[in-house]
Amino acid sequence: MNPHRAQQDTAPQDTAAHVGRGQEREGLGRRRFLGLCAGAAGLGAAAACERTTAVHPPSAVDGRLPEAERGRPGTRDWRLGSAGPVDAVAGYTDRVSLVPGEECGLHVSTTASSFRVSAFRVGWYGGTYARLVWRSERVPGRTGPAGRAVPATRTVRADWPRTLSFGTEGWPEGAYLIRLDADNGHQRYVPLIVRSTRGTGRTVLMHAPATWQAYNKWGGHSLYEGPSGGYADRSLAVSFDRPYDGSGAEKFLVYEWAAVVLAERLGIPLAYTTGNDVHRDPGVLHGAAAVVCLGHDEYWTPEQRQRVTEARDAGTNVAFLGANTCFRRVRLEAGEAGADRTVVCYKSAYRSDPCYPSSPALVTTDFRQEPAADPESSLTGVLYEGYPVDAPYVVHAADHWVYEGTGVRPGESFDHLVGVEYDRVTPGAPAPGALEITAHSPVVCAGRRSHSDSAYYTVPSGAGVFATGTMRWVEALLAGTGELGRDHSMDARTRAFTARTTENLLCAFSAGPAARHRPAPRPNAQEVYRTV
């Protein structure tokens, strides 16, 4: 990603627009297509996959598993009301993730006299999108000190004392929003993943807390900028021992939340993890049907990348629902609260990394850069190219199985779906196998003409790998709804298209190695780019 970018794309929003006539024509009946374009968040689009094999029979479903949540009543009272001033209320957990039954510590600072904590599990829940799993009693409030920066790396830590702890016995695996409700009327989120230890036969949703933290400016520093607003005084390492800025869960809500809701609505067997956990223990990937990298998953350790690659080579399908994935090579180091609490990334200052030159494979910079260059395209099939762009998504291989039922034709486009960052198939870059470009979208980035590509490939294990090539894919699942307050002028037609395509992808990938039950890729990169 552009090293000077710290702000997220903020294109103007638009409301729902017309339904494309071609959408209804092929394979997607009128009733179902209208369902795609309706609903509070457009996530009612997804229907259950037709041939999903449950890991457990319904009578034996473990209450901690996502399947146990289906049919339970949800609540609409999970959203934030007033965030208030920055110091009104904020907090962080001493665990990025935990397994059901483990205890979690919560560190809170508030100007209010007291607050309560509510834990909401994200899911379909009949279109309410969350279920209240636990709520605390009133807790006395206190104000924590301002963050302090470690001079050598400009790493900001809050180091607030633990305010309370809570157990998670009986909490189902999943993605959670911990909401802090201060008695002054202000609220903030703290994201938490209750992770799975077993992913056999399941689709594993892999959340990206290292990327959340990279962009976190709480205390004045992120991996992109410092108090000056410039790149020169940015952090070289960032800590989980501080709150997230803004709402407290912006990156999760923008780039991950809608995909979680859609996956749960499909009814496929799911498992939950984070990149940090795969780095430490790849067990959840063993025997998994698929692993899904969500909308913005930029920062990976070499260990995480190796383990996802090994899972692919063992038959696990991989979906990349964003762009700029696996771009930065990072290192996880200990912090005040324990192991893996610090994300290290020196970027262009890599020669100052203590691992240079003794351990070149651990030097924290872009994966494609020296030392130990290994471009991400060897896993993703596509290569990150630029920022910022705003362009239509243009379908190339309209008859590809991933677009089944959308009714699209070759050359049909969806305005604003390519942005704010994009990937492309790059002739000459390392590639894992023969690539089929399914969408080939003209873009102009910093005055230079290029393309964004969606691409699909398979490997000898039978695993299929699909990359959307655009960072707005998950956001598009909410287009025209106003759910996140903006949608970059994408409309309901775009929402219907991305929802059905994502449904096709997840249903196919949940059924095991895609090469065994879906058509093989038709290599076309040379034709599309007219290379020899």
Side-chain angles (χ1 to χ4, degrees), residues 352-403:
S352 299
D353 189 322
C355 287
Y356 182 88
S358 60
S359 302
L362 297 179
V363 170
T364 56
T365 185
D366 303 347
F367 269 106
R368 66 182 67 175
Q369 299 293 337
E370 298 292 345
D374 185 12
E376 70 274 15
S377 57
S378 64
L379 172 61
T380 63
V382 292
L383 203 66
Y384 169 65
E385 187 168 85
Y387 157 90
V389 298
D390 181 280
Y393 180 94
V394 181
V395 174
H396 181 75
D399 59 345
H400 193 276
W401 60 262
V402 80
Y403 301 133

Side-chain angles (χ1 to χ4, degrees), residues 214-284:
Y215 287 85
N216 182 14
K217 293 184 291 184
W218 189 92
H221 288 83
S222 71
L223 288 180
Y224 290 87
E225 65 179 61
S228 72
Y231 183 67
D233 58 348
R234 74 195 185 282
S235 292
L236 302 175
V238 288
S239 174
F240 286 103
D241 295 322
R242 59 175 181 158
Y244 292 104
D245 58 2
S247 70
E250 182 181 12
K251 291 294 182 284
F252 167 77
L253 287 168
V254 172
Y255 294 114
E256 303 186 5
W257 173 77
V260 171
V261 174
L262 176 61
E264 293 228 342
R265 175 68 178 85
L266 283 173
I268 58 178
L270 294 174
Y272 286 83
T273 192
T274 73
N276 296 38
D277 293 301
V278 171
H279 159 86
R280 182 176 59 249
D281 178 9
V284 71

Side-chain angles (χ1 to χ4, degrees), residues 163-183:
T163 309
L164 74 154
S165 61
F166 55 89
T168 60
E169 186 66 38
W171 289 29
E173 300 162 3
Y176 284 75
L177 289 168
I178 308 298
R179 194 179 69 192
L180 308 176
D181 300 311
D183 67 4

Side-chain angles (χ1 to χ4, degrees), residues 34-93:
L34 293 177
L36 282 166
C37 294
L43 296 169
C49 298
E50 293 180 0
R51 291 184 298 275
T52 298
T53 302
V55 174
H56 301 285
S59 61
V61 170
D62 187 329
R64 297 171 298 176
L65 298 178
E67 288 92 325
E69 291 295 285
R70 292 169 190 150
R72 287 185 178 176
T75 178
R76 298 186 185 278
D77 180 30
W78 59 269
R79 297 168 176 82
L80 290 188
S82 169
V86 172
D87 62 351
V89 62
Y92 60 94
T93 57

